[in-house]
Amino acid sequence: MKKCPECGNPSYDGAPVCGNCGFKFPKPKVAAPKEETIFKKEPIVRKTSSSESTIDILKKNRLLIGAILLITLIVILGIVLTGSNDKSSPIQVSGLNEYKQSDFSFKYPENWKNVSGNDPDHSGAKFFMDDNKTLIEFYNITSDSTSLKQINQQRIEYAQQNGSYVELVETVKLDGRNGSNIILENADGDYTRYVSMFSDGKLYVFKINGESINSITTSDINSMINSADIA
């Protein structure tokens, strides 16, 4: 119940006017309902102990990562050092000396020794000895033969008459010319190799004597033969 402020007459709460004097009661204020925000708050996701950052992971595993990097570096260094020290890779080539005659020249390793030799059939022969004690002889002569084939045939016949066995006879290319390579096993068990070139009536011969086929066919000897040049 409420009372009229003018006459004091009681009236019910919802009466718009006083029933005694006609006073108009003011409309009651209605409290506006609270509005809900249109923005929804997203739930805050908190990182659990298992949701670690990359930096945290790196920090925790720095020892393991460091070990992996160290092993990788060691492997790389090993490959580099192995490659640089590989005995089968670049071969260390010794210096070369050059032998020159009027119209003929060849190069030979500087560690070969110039030695005195005896060849009664070729007084002007030049002699060398390598580290394997293999004797390398060079001589040239004027020949009445018409071809290298004829010269080789005569050499083989003479060798067989002295008890030598023919191991190899082949044609080779030297200084752009046809040459021959003959290997004989001598009666005493040693080996002799003849490498010959024939040009304009002149015969150029490398005669190599050694204890085995390997000793007379080394890379140094073959390089020396292949360097032969007829001017």
Side-chain angles (χ1 to χ4, degrees):
M1 294 292 287
K2 61 184 178 179
K3 290 182 179 182
C4 175
E6 292 292 332
C7 65
N9 185 58
S11 300
Y12 60 93
D13 290 335
V17 296
C18 177
N20 182 44
C21 67
F23 178 79
K24 291 184 178 180
F25 294 109
K27 293 182 179 180
K29 294 182 179 180
V30 179
K34 293 182 179 180
E35 295 183 359
E36 294 183 2
T37 179
I38 60 173
F39 300 102
K40 293 183 179 180
K41 294 183 179 180
E42 296 292 338
I44 298 174
V45 178
R46 299 185 181 276
K47 292 183 180 180
T48 61
S49 58
S50 61
S51 302
E52 296 178 317
S53 67
T54 303
I55 295 177
D56 292 334
I57 294 174
L58 291 176
K59 286 181 178 179
K60 286 187 176 182
N61 296 280
R62 60 182 179 272
L63 293 178
L64 177 60
I65 295 172
I68 293 174
L69 292 175
L70 179 60
I71 293 172
T72 303
L73 181 60
I74 292 173
V75 171
I76 293 173
L77 289 175
I79 293 173
V80 172
L81 293 176
T82 302
S84 61
N85 294 325
D86 188 356
K87 301 299 182 182
S88 63
S89 298
I91 300 173
Q92 294 183 350
V93 180
S94 60
L96 297 175
N97 291 331
E98 186 174 20
Y99 174 80
K100 284 187 177 181
Q101 215 172 53
S102 58
D103 59 348
F104 190 85
S105 66
F106 60 87
K107 296 177 181 179
Y108 62 94
E110 63 180 6
N111 62 319
W112 286 11
K113 297 178 181 178
N114 292 313
V115 296
S116 58
N118 181 29
D119 187 342
D121 296 325
H122 309 102
S123 58
K126 184 73 175 177
F127 294 88
F128 306 91
M129 183 172 289
D130 66 11
D131 294 337
N132 298 320
K133 307 300 181 183
T134 300
L135 188 65
I136 300 100
E137 176 186 356
F138 168 74
Y139 63 85
N140 72 82
I141 58 174
T142 300
S143 176
D144 295 331
S145 300
T146 58
S147 67
L148 186 57
K149 180 179 180 181
Q150 182 182 4
I151 294 170
N152 289 336
Q153 188 61 44
Q154 293 171 355
R155 178 174 289 132
I156 290 171
E157 290 176 357
Y158 179 79
Q160 289 176 333
Q161 290 172 5
N162 287 275
S164 298
Y165 176 77
V166 180
E167 287 281 350
L168 175 68
V169 179
E170 65 177 353
T171 299
V172 294
K173 208 76 170 177
L174 298 171
D175 191 27
R177 309 164 190 265
N178 286 332
S180 65
N181 182 38
I182 298 175
I183 296 178
L184 305 172
E185 181 181 0
N186 304 319
D188 59 2
D190 289 342
Y191 288 82
T192 302
R193 180 184 182 188
Y194 292 92
V195 179
S196 307
M197 301 170 67
F198 186 60
S199 176
D200 297 329
K202 290 185 177 181
L203 179 64
Y204 306 87
V205 180
F206 293 105
K207 180 181 178 182
I208 304 137
N209 290 302
E211 296 180 349
S212 66
I213 291 180
N214 289 337
S215 68
I216 62 176
T217 58
T218 64
S219 59
D220 281 343
I221 292 174
N222 290 335
S223 295
M224 179 270 297
I225 293 170
N226 288 326
S227 72
D229 178 63
I230 299 176

